[in-house]
Amino acid sequence: MKRFFTAILLLFTTATTQAQLANYNTNEYWSQFVFERTAMKPQVTGDSCLVFVSNRFIHPDSLRFADEYIDTTSLKYFFLEKLDGKWKVYQAPSLTEAMELLPHKKDIVVYAEGMGKIFTSNVYRAQLMSRQYDVNVVMFDYSSINTTYKPSKNFRVARMNARLSAGQYLLMLQEFQKARQEDQPWISGVKLTTFYHSMGNIILEQMVQHHDISSINAMPFIDNLVINAACVPQRQHAKWVEQIHFAKQVYVHYNKFDLQLKGAHLLTFKKQLGEKVSRNRRADNAVYVNFHDMVGWQHSYFMNFPYNVKFKLTPAMSDYFSRLFNGQGISSHEAVSLFTSSNQSPANARQDTPRQ
């Protein structure tokens, strides 16, 4: 019976992912992206610009110039701007040179997505976040799906690619730390948030557990670190979360009705961190926020997605995520007040106080 429900959940979630992905993988959609071969001469256009840090193989002469395999030997830096309905993609020599082109004095979110994203769909999500929360978005872009693989293989490959990307993610964080220490103009006076969604949390977990993070862990240079709907094991997560000293505040978001995490639970035979967290198994340095009664079976409940017409963030949720992405500290008690002050009943805004 368990195998039957596992198959049903896998087919449902995969069908949803594949249906959404198909829209972003057509020749017509890819034709909206132009890989610029000349020297960087972008025209900064406000909220229609992004920075991507990618470990995909790049084929400049191909329509689909960012492919579906990871290159663990090098990171590539891109500045993207949208002009006249087309995304111009410029490769930059370094993170700093890409970041200097973004609007200054806007808070920064470093965003790692979960399974099922190709380059173009990551651009779509990064732009949504930038516009909805008025932040500069840096997308850590790794291959989390291969459109030629079957669903079961894609699940394994997405998890493997996230694990393999952890070392490169650490290298990127070292660059942010260096910029913060040097008070470089593009990061001076702004807040920095790192956001991990679903399988994107595998990158964080693997980085902390299997890489030497001492180079970044002496002092916090990140304001908020957000573990959202995490597709990593719940068991013993506190051991690695409590090793995080490079962020001032850590947030863990969970939802026991999350349908996609239920599928991952059945496939891996392990309760996922983004489902439900027992009170006696929590990290002392984290704020845990319970979204059970506010989002139903939703998995991506941190933004409004135009294709998901059945779910919209409440004003209180929008306010909460806006404060997070703009680097503000929020205690568990403040989260309660934030949700209840927007006509949410206490039952529908149930939060949990972390262990003291």
Side-chain angles (χ1 to χ4, degrees):
M1 184 61 71
K2 178 174 285 189
R3 289 183 179 179
F4 172 76
F5 283 116
T6 300
I8 293 297
L9 279 170
L10 178 62
L11 288 172
F12 176 82
T13 56
T14 303
T16 302
T17 300
Q18 291 293 111
Q20 295 171 6
L21 184 61
N23 297 325
Y24 305 115
N25 202 31
T26 63
N27 288 350
E28 181 181 9
Y29 201 90
W30 272 100
S31 68
Q32 299 175 35
F33 293 78
V34 179
F35 189 90
E36 295 290 337
R37 302 294 299 271
T38 57
M40 292 179 64
K41 295 181 180 179
Q43 303 172 33
V44 177
T45 56
D47 68 350
S48 290
C49 51
L50 309 164
V51 166
F52 268 47
V53 180
S54 180
N55 64 359
R56 297 179 188 270
F57 283 99
I58 303 299
H59 310 283
D61 296 321
S62 173
L63 175 66
R64 292 170 173 79
F65 54 83
D67 74 15
E68 299 172 3
Y69 298 88
I70 64 169
D71 173 12
T72 58
T73 65
S74 67
L75 283 175
K76 295 90 176 176
Y77 308 94
F78 300 100
F79 176 80
L80 290 75
E81 63 170 346
K82 194 170 188 180
L83 294 171
D84 301 323
K86 286 187 179 292
W87 283 101
K88 291 181 177 290
V89 182
Y90 301 87
Q91 188 161 0
S94 66
L95 175 67
T96 290
E97 291 183 65
M99 295 299 295
E100 285 176 342
L101 296 168
L102 290 173
H104 285 199
K105 304 307 177 184
K106 290 181 71 171
D107 295 321
I108 299 167
V109 178
V110 182
Y111 179 7
E113 254 292 347
M115 179 181 173
K117 310 303 182 298
I118 60 174
F119 182 87
T120 55
S121 55
N122 267 341
V123 171
Y124 173 77
R125 288 194 165 215
Q127 186 187 27
L128 280 181
M129 178 178 285
S130 177
R131 287 184 169 179
Q132 289 183 31
Y133 296 109
D134 191 29
V135 290
N136 282 334
V137 174
V138 180
M139 174 66 79
F140 184 79
D141 173 56
Y142 68 103
S143 177
S144 59
I145 195 169
N146 189 300
T147 53
T148 66
Y149 293 165
K150 293 181 179 180
S152 57
K153 184 174 182 179
N154 260 324
F155 184 79
R156 296 193 302 272
V157 167
R159 296 172 71 205
M160 178 182 69
N161 283 356
R163 290 194 294 268
L164 292 174
S165 297
Q168 291 173 303
Y169 189 87
L170 174 59
L171 293 176
M172 180 188 67
L173 288 189
Q174 289 171 343
E175 295 186 69
F176 277 101
Q177 180 198 44
K178 183 174 183 288
R180 181 73 89 185
Q181 290 172 339
E182 296 175 353
D183 198 28
Q184 293 182 16
W186 58 267
I187 202 170
S188 179
V190 305
K191 300 292 187 179
L192 176 63
T193 296
T194 55
F195 179 78
Y196 311 86
H197 176 60
S198 194
M199 281 192 189
N201 287 280
I202 295 174
I203 298 172
L204 175 65
E205 176 199 45
Q206 292 292 307
M207 184 189 78
V208 174
Q209 288 187 321
H210 301 292
H211 293 269
D212 182 3
I213 64 170
S214 60
S215 61
I216 65 169
N217 216 26
M219 293 288 291
F221 63 97
I222 292 167
D223 294 282
N224 289 336
L225 185 151
V226 186
I227 297 171
N228 188 77
C231 190
V232 297
Q234 185 264 123
R235 187 172 180 268
Q236 297 187 337
H237 77 278
K239 290 184 178 180
W240 63 265
V241 172
E242 288 176 353
Q243 294 179 48
I244 297 172
H245 305 301
F246 53 86
K248 294 177 182 177
Q249 185 62 69
V250 177
Y251 299 86
V252 179
H253 298 163
Y254 65 98
N255 167 25
K256 69 179 179 182
F257 300 128
D258 188 321
L259 188 60
Q260 287 181 243
L261 292 184
K262 291 297 182 188
H265 183 167
L266 292 176
L267 286 168
T268 62
F269 301 101
K270 295 178 181 179
K271 182 184 293 184
Q272 301 300 291
L273 177 55
E275 290 182 89
K276 187 177 181 181
V277 190
S278 302
R279 285 183 176 274
N280 61 350
R281 296 180 179 178
R282 299 184 176 186
D284 290 328
N285 62 330
V287 171
Y288 289 78
V289 184
N290 177 358
F291 283 89
H292 292 177
D293 299 326
M294 289 179 281
V295 301
W297 53 266
Q298 299 291 325
H299 182 58
S300 296
Y301 46 79
F302 56 95
M303 286 195 297
N304 287 323
F305 294 92
Y307 61 77
N308 190 355
V309 296
K310 294 184 178 180
F311 174 76
K312 296 298 177 187
L313 273 67
T314 66
M317 290 176 65
S318 293
D319 191 18
Y320 171 77
F321 281 106
S322 180
R323 289 180 62 181
L324 276 190
F325 294 146
N326 284 278
Q328 299 179 40
I330 306 172
S331 69
S332 290
H333 298 297
E334 286 178 309
V336 170
S337 299
L338 184 64
F339 287 120
T340 56
S341 65
S342 185
N343 297 321
Q344 292 266 359
S345 69
N348 287 339
R350 186 171 66 245
Q351 311 297 312
D352 300 298
T353 304
R355 300 197 328 249
Q356 302 299 318

